[in-house]
Amino acid sequence: MPRLLSLLLPDRFIIVLLAMVGLAALLPARGAALDWLGTVSTVCIVTLFFVHGARLSRSAVIGGFTRLRLHLVIVAFTFLAFPLLGLLLTTLAAPLIDPAFIPGILFLSALPTTVASSIAMVSMAKGNVAASVIAAALSSMLGVVLTPLMFAALLSTAGAPIDLSGIGTVVLILALPFATGQLFRPLAGAWIEAHPVVGRTLDRLTILLAIYVALSAAVGGGLLAGLGMNGFLLLLAAMLALLGLVIAAAMLATRLLGFGYGDGTALLFAAIQKSVISGTPMARILFPGAEAGLIIVPLLVYYVPMMTVSAIMAARMGSDREKKTANCSEQPIHD
């Protein structure tokens, strides 16, 4: 019962994240304070991607080639299949979804998978954890370049009128620190791995600051003023539908491609998860103004059911796997 209750109750960070959304709505930063917080947020983003670069083991990237087919499928699903499903959803649901949310849904669709939570879900489900670690690392690394490019392609297809001149800035502020972190890994990597609390704290601080700055700018610019409760409820319904589509597509891909349980589990949770750690800083860099607030709203709405459904699925799959293993071990051996 305690385990089930822990799955149904929201993670503490989700509560803090929702509190930050409420703070930005009720007490948004303005003027010089917003400018100062924006600068601090940018510094945190640069530092975060440096740490991610230094923390990512080169052996993990090289190790990906031991299961090349699986990782190619995961990358294709993350940066091609999911974006196409997002585009399909926005096309079919265009009459229902507020047009202001469509770029955010497309941005969410192009993001890399999570790192910590996707690995944790695969571990809970008794799947291939090693493959999940490599898949998450590759997705995080490739997302710095592929996410802005895929997002630009999706926006062009959808005809959304948003300026993407910030794509070059992404390379400067995200890719360059990431690459620098890789270069400094021999010096900084061991210390970062020995102090994981530093990375976790920086992750959360960067997310919360990026959310507060982006939503403050959106509230101050009046971009969220015309969005009523009906609009948010329809957005939530669309995000639940997108989550269901992705789960079904990932399960179908696992069956058609003949992946076993371990690799199929790694594919499933990499497909479901979208990284708020990468998404919120990237949105702030791509859209330094009030538009970033609108861009991250679908990501935040998707994040809560994504984590909840993933945790429930992983717990159930892990329990079923344990029972199946136990039953197999209890089978009598015949001479």
Side-chain angles (χ1 to χ4, degrees), residues 3 13 43 82 98 107 112 212 256 291 302 304:
R3 186 182 185 189
F13 179 66
V43 171
F82 198 125
D98 191 312
F107 177 70
Y212 183 69
L256 291 178
E291 294 91 345
Y302 180 82
V304 177

PDB file of all heavy atoms in Angstrom, residues 3 13 43 82 98 107 112 212 256 291 302 304:
ATOM      1  N   ARG A   3       3.744   1.737  -1.269  1.00  0.00           N
ATOM      2  CA  ARG A   3       4.343   1.907  -2.589  1.00  0.00           C
ATOM      3  C   ARG A   3       3.318   2.437  -3.582  1.00  0.00           C
ATOM      4  O   ARG A   3       3.607   3.324  -4.385  1.00  0.00           O
ATOM      5  CB  ARG A   3       4.907   0.565  -3.063  1.00  0.00           C
ATOM      6  CG  ARG A   3       5.681   0.684  -4.371  1.00  0.00           C
ATOM      7  CD  ARG A   3       6.174  -0.678  -4.816  1.00  0.00           C
ATOM      8  NE  ARG A   3       7.004  -0.547  -6.000  1.00  0.00           N
ATOM      9  CZ  ARG A   3       7.440  -1.573  -6.713  1.00  0.00           C
ATOM     10  NH1 ARG A   3       7.133  -2.801  -6.337  1.00  0.00           N
ATOM     11  NH2 ARG A   3       8.172  -1.383  -7.786  1.00  0.00           N
ATOM     12  N   PHE A  13       9.000  17.385  -6.256  1.00  0.00           N
ATOM     13  CA  PHE A  13       9.452  18.409  -7.194  1.00  0.00           C
ATOM     14  C   PHE A  13       8.301  18.913  -8.062  1.00  0.00           C
ATOM     15  O   PHE A  13       8.268  20.085  -8.433  1.00  0.00           O
ATOM     16  CB  PHE A  13      10.575  17.863  -8.080  1.00  0.00           C
ATOM     17  CG  PHE A  13      11.067  18.880  -9.079  1.00  0.00           C
ATOM     18  CD1 PHE A  13      11.713  20.035  -8.655  1.00  0.00           C
ATOM     19  CD2 PHE A  13      10.868  18.696 -10.430  1.00  0.00           C
ATOM     20  CE1 PHE A  13      12.151  20.978  -9.571  1.00  0.00           C
ATOM     21  CE2 PHE A  13      11.298  19.631 -11.351  1.00  0.00           C
ATOM     22  CZ  PHE A  13      11.947  20.782 -10.912  1.00  0.00           C
ATOM     23  N   VAL A  43      22.978  32.200 -16.804  1.00  0.00           N
ATOM     24  CA  VAL A  43      24.212  31.680 -16.207  1.00  0.00           C
ATOM     25  C   VAL A  43      24.001  30.252 -15.704  1.00  0.00           C
ATOM     26  O   VAL A  43      24.849  29.375 -15.904  1.00  0.00           O
ATOM     27  CB  VAL A  43      24.685  32.599 -15.054  1.00  0.00           C
ATOM     28  CG1 VAL A  43      25.830  31.951 -14.282  1.00  0.00           C
ATOM     29  CG2 VAL A  43      25.118  33.956 -15.586  1.00  0.00           C
ATOM     30  N   PHE A  82       7.899  10.815 -32.533  1.00  0.00           N
ATOM     31  CA  PHE A  82       7.154  11.635 -31.574  1.00  0.00           C
ATOM     32  C   PHE A  82       6.799  12.993 -32.175  1.00  0.00           C
ATOM     33  O   PHE A  82       5.635  13.434 -32.084  1.00  0.00           O
ATOM     34  CB  PHE A  82       7.961  11.795 -30.287  1.00  0.00           C
ATOM     35  CG  PHE A  82       7.145  12.244 -29.097  1.00  0.00           C
ATOM     36  CD1 PHE A  82       7.146  11.508 -27.924  1.00  0.00           C
ATOM     37  CD2 PHE A  82       6.372  13.408 -29.131  1.00  0.00           C
ATOM     38  CE1 PHE A  82       6.406  11.912 -26.810  1.00  0.00           C
ATOM     39  CE2 PHE A  82       5.626  13.821 -28.035  1.00  0.00           C
ATOM     40  CZ  PHE A  82       5.640  13.070 -26.885  1.00  0.00           C
ATOM     41  N   ASP A  98      -6.317  25.913 -28.399  1.00  0.00           N
ATOM     42  CA  ASP A  98      -6.009  27.329 -28.599  1.00  0.00           C
ATOM     43  C   ASP A  98      -4.755  27.440 -29.469  1.00  0.00           C
ATOM     44  O   ASP A  98      -3.733  26.803 -29.181  1.00  0.00           O
ATOM     45  CB  ASP A  98      -5.745  27.995 -27.235  1.00  0.00           C
ATOM     46  CG  ASP A  98      -5.695  29.509 -27.333  1.00  0.00           C
ATOM     47  OD1 ASP A  98      -4.995  30.019 -28.223  1.00  0.00           O
ATOM     48  OD2 ASP A  98      -6.361  30.179 -26.528  1.00  0.00           O
ATOM     49  N   PHE A 107       7.110  22.040 -29.818  1.00  0.00           N
ATOM     50  CA  PHE A 107       8.386  22.119 -29.117  1.00  0.00           C
ATOM     51  C   PHE A 107       8.548  20.926 -28.177  1.00  0.00           C
ATOM     52  O   PHE A 107       9.603  20.275 -28.146  1.00  0.00           O
ATOM     53  CB  PHE A 107       8.461  23.429 -28.327  1.00  0.00           C
ATOM     54  CG  PHE A 107       9.709  23.578 -27.503  1.00  0.00           C
ATOM     55  CD1 PHE A 107      10.942  23.776 -28.101  1.00  0.00           C
ATOM     56  CD2 PHE A 107       9.649  23.527 -26.112  1.00  0.00           C
ATOM     57  CE1 PHE A 107      12.093  23.911 -27.344  1.00  0.00           C
ATOM     58  CE2 PHE A 107      10.793  23.678 -25.344  1.00  0.00           C
ATOM     59  CZ  PHE A 107      12.012  23.859 -25.955  1.00  0.00           C
ATOM     60  N   PRO A 112      14.419  16.030 -26.282  1.00  0.00           N
ATOM     61  CA  PRO A 112      15.015  14.725 -25.969  1.00  0.00           C
ATOM     62  C   PRO A 112      14.299  14.061 -24.805  1.00  0.00           C
ATOM     63  O   PRO A 112      13.501  14.702 -24.103  1.00  0.00           O
ATOM     64  CB  PRO A 112      16.457  15.089 -25.578  1.00  0.00           C
ATOM     65  CG  PRO A 112      16.374  16.494 -25.083  1.00  0.00           C
ATOM     66  CD  PRO A 112      15.312  17.149 -25.920  1.00  0.00           C
ATOM     67  N   TYR A 212       9.998  30.475 -13.967  1.00  0.00           N
ATOM     68  CA  TYR A 212       9.557  31.729 -13.370  1.00  0.00           C
ATOM     69  C   TYR A 212       9.826  32.916 -14.292  1.00  0.00           C
ATOM     70  O   TYR A 212       8.964  33.783 -14.481  1.00  0.00           O
ATOM     71  CB  TYR A 212      10.248  31.945 -12.022  1.00  0.00           C
ATOM     72  CG  TYR A 212       9.783  33.197 -11.309  1.00  0.00           C
ATOM     73  CD1 TYR A 212       8.493  33.268 -10.791  1.00  0.00           C
ATOM     74  CD2 TYR A 212      10.615  34.304 -11.167  1.00  0.00           C
ATOM     75  CE1 TYR A 212       8.044  34.406 -10.145  1.00  0.00           C
ATOM     76  CE2 TYR A 212      10.175  35.447 -10.535  1.00  0.00           C
ATOM     77  CZ  TYR A 212       8.895  35.493 -10.020  1.00  0.00           C
ATOM     78  OH  TYR A 212       8.446  36.633  -9.398  1.00  0.00           O
ATOM     79  N   LEU A 256       6.768  -5.014 -33.582  1.00  0.00           N
ATOM     80  CA  LEU A 256       7.101  -5.158 -35.001  1.00  0.00           C
ATOM     81  C   LEU A 256       8.588  -5.383 -35.220  1.00  0.00           C
ATOM     82  O   LEU A 256       8.994  -6.103 -36.137  1.00  0.00           O
ATOM     83  CB  LEU A 256       6.645  -3.918 -35.772  1.00  0.00           C
ATOM     84  CG  LEU A 256       5.119  -3.710 -35.906  1.00  0.00           C
ATOM     85  CD1 LEU A 256       4.826  -2.414 -36.641  1.00  0.00           C
ATOM     86  CD2 LEU A 256       4.476  -4.891 -36.624  1.00  0.00           C
ATOM     87  N   GLU A 291       7.350  35.081 -25.263  1.00  0.00           N
ATOM     88  CA  GLU A 291       6.880  33.890 -25.976  1.00  0.00           C
ATOM     89  C   GLU A 291       7.285  32.594 -25.276  1.00  0.00           C
ATOM     90  O   GLU A 291       6.607  31.577 -25.390  1.00  0.00           O
ATOM     91  CB  GLU A 291       7.416  33.868 -27.412  1.00  0.00           C
ATOM     92  CG  GLU A 291       6.891  34.971 -28.298  1.00  0.00           C
ATOM     93  CD  GLU A 291       7.789  36.213 -28.254  1.00  0.00           C
ATOM     94  OE1 GLU A 291       8.636  36.283 -27.330  1.00  0.00           O
ATOM     95  OE2 GLU A 291       7.636  37.093 -29.110  1.00  0.00           O
ATOM     96  N   TYR A 302       2.067  18.425 -19.843  1.00  0.00           N
ATOM     97  CA  TYR A 302       2.384  17.031 -20.201  1.00  0.00           C
ATOM     98  C   TYR A 302       3.179  16.338 -19.100  1.00  0.00           C
ATOM     99  O   TYR A 302       3.026  15.125 -18.868  1.00  0.00           O
ATOM    100  CB  TYR A 302       3.191  17.018 -21.502  1.00  0.00           C
ATOM    101  CG  TYR A 302       3.592  15.649 -22.004  1.00  0.00           C
ATOM    102  CD1 TYR A 302       2.710  14.859 -22.734  1.00  0.00           C
ATOM    103  CD2 TYR A 302       4.864  15.144 -21.751  1.00  0.00           C
ATOM    104  CE1 TYR A 302       3.079  13.607 -23.200  1.00  0.00           C
ATOM    105  CE2 TYR A 302       5.240  13.886 -22.211  1.00  0.00           C
ATOM    106  CZ  TYR A 302       4.354  13.128 -22.931  1.00  0.00           C
ATOM    107  OH  TYR A 302       4.727  11.884 -23.384  1.00  0.00           O
ATOM    108  N   VAL A 304       3.265  16.296 -15.740  1.00  0.00           N
ATOM    109  CA  VAL A 304       2.642  15.650 -14.568  1.00  0.00           C
ATOM    110  C   VAL A 304       2.026  14.291 -14.926  1.00  0.00           C
ATOM    111  O   VAL A 304       2.353  13.275 -14.295  1.00  0.00           O
ATOM    112  CB  VAL A 304       1.618  16.589 -13.908  1.00  0.00           C
ATOM    113  CG1 VAL A 304       0.930  15.886 -12.751  1.00  0.00           C
ATOM    114  CG2 VAL A 304       2.299  17.870 -13.421  1.00  0.00           C
TER     115      VAL A 304
END
